Amino acid sequence: MDLIDRKLHLDKVIERIEFARVCVNQHHIVKTVAISKYSKSEDIKDLYEIGVRAFGENKVQDLETKSKELEELPLEWHFVGSLQKNKINKLIALDPYLCHSLDSLELALALDQRLEASSTTMNALLQINSANETTKSGVSKEEAKDIYQQISESCKNINLKGVMSIGAHSEDEKLIRKSFQDTYKIYDSLDQATICSMGMSGDFEEAIRCGSNMVRLGSILFK
Ligand SMILES: *Cc1c(COP(=O)(O)O)cnc(C)c1O
């Protein structure tokens, strides 16, 4: 796709985001993170040229490769994948803007310890497995609030900003909506949480209508 077509395509996606967000209310602001995990640095650069600034990867290695290749651009990098303990130090060194995928208290404690040792901090979200799917990581809805509070209290080097969830893997819109509503309810009950990261290419409008203020769009932006 050339840049003009890309821009027209991006505008259509932005229009859909705008339409969904004003349905919630006109003060509801939604941030878009372009998930570049299936894309090359040249494609990221194309989206940069037409105004996209926030990008996300789901593997620490890819985040390192692409953020270094694009070092000269003022990009904001997000990490959205499962974080293995042996990759924690590498992620800290890359200093992402936000890690969306803290999926257990144990991981949070390990990350906090390494952050302490490096005298630095990291912004992060607690990932909730709101549809209770075995294929997904994240804490259960039932434990989410407790674990959130435990991380807030015991991990001084982690700035917990809110929650992230992946919508139910289903054709049934009601189930998908329920998973977003459940996540939003937890988010809404937390003190000082400001980010509710939900919605991907196939379900971002529903996620926004349920209160998401950060969407993670991969295939729809990079096609
Ligand atoms: C891949 C991925 C996305 C983007 O998925 P699309 O369906 O391509 O928009 C969003 N969030 C996470 C955690 C992902 O791994």
Side-chain angles (χ1 to χ4, degrees):
M1 234 193 264
D2 66 23
L3 277 186
I4 292 175
D5 287 337
R6 269 202 191 282
K7 179 81 172 88
L8 289 171
H9 178 72
L10 174 66
D11 285 347
K12 280 194 198 128
V13 176
I14 292 172
E15 210 170 277
R16 287 172 60 184
I17 294 170
E18 284 295 293
F19 190 79
R21 89 167 176 89
V22 293
C23 287
V24 178
N25 77 58
Q26 297 190 331
H27 304 290
H28 187 67
I29 295 171
V30 177
K31 174 160 174 164
T32 301
V33 181
I35 305 299
S36 46
K37 65 185 181 200
Y38 299 127
S39 308
K40 297 199 194 76
S41 292
E42 299 95 81
D43 302 314
I44 297 174
K45 209 166 180 177
D46 279 354
L47 285 191
Y48 170 82
E49 298 292 341
I50 56 174
V52 181
R53 291 294 178 271
F55 293 88
E57 287 289 333
N58 72 338
K59 297 210 170 76
V60 176
Q61 185 56 59
D62 294 343
L63 180 62
E64 180 177 47
T65 308
K66 294 178 199 175
S67 64
K68 293 207 162 139
E69 279 173 1
L70 297 164
E71 214 159 29
E72 79 280 11
L73 303 181
L75 304 181
E76 180 185 289
W77 285 102
H78 294 237
F79 181 72
V80 301
S82 296
L83 178 58
Q84 291 162 297
K85 290 225 182 79
N86 61 355
K87 298 284 165 60
I88 289 178
N89 282 340
K90 199 172 212 175
L91 184 67
I92 292 174
L94 295 171
D95 192 24
Y97 175 81
L98 179 66
C99 169
H100 292 231
S101 41
L102 275 187
D103 57 12
S104 70
L105 177 61
E106 195 197 349
L107 176 66
L109 291 167
L111 175 62
D112 185 59
Q113 206 174 39
R114 308 284 179 81
L115 287 165
E116 176 78 33
S118 325
S119 307
T120 184
T121 60
M122 192 181 290
N123 297 330
L125 305 177
L126 180 65
Q127 182 172 355
I128 303 176
N129 186 355
S130 50
N132 209 8
E133 293 162 314
T134 51
T135 50
K136 279 179 194 151
S137 3
V139 303
S140 71
K141 285 184 287 196
E142 293 72 25
E143 298 172 310
K145 192 161 178 174
D146 247 21
I147 294 179
Y148 193 95
Q149 272 153 359
Q150 285 184 57
I151 297 174
S152 297
E153 280 160 28
S154 40
C155 301
K156 297 298 173 212
N157 306 286
I158 295 176
N159 305 319
L160 212 47
K161 299 282 185 189
V163 300
M164 182 274 252
S165 188
I166 297 173
H169 184 71
S170 168
E171 298 290 306
D172 183 350
E173 278 180 32
K174 278 194 207 125
L175 271 182
I176 299 171
R177 183 178 314 132
K178 172 87 167 52
S179 68
F180 289 145
Q181 287 169 335
D182 288 348
T183 304
Y184 183 78
K185 226 178 276 168
I186 296 165
Y187 163 74
D188 200 36
S189 76
L190 300 167
D191 293 330
Q192 300 185 340
T194 55
I195 300 176
C196 180
S197 166
M198 358 182 249
M200 315 196 330
S201 295
D203 55 21
F204 66 94
E205 288 151 307
E206 189 59 54
I208 293 168
R209 286 194 289 266
C210 293
S212 167
N213 59 16
M214 188 173 280
V215 291
R216 308 178 309 271
L217 303 183
S219 42
I220 198 172
L221 288 184
F222 281 97
K223 69 178 165 200

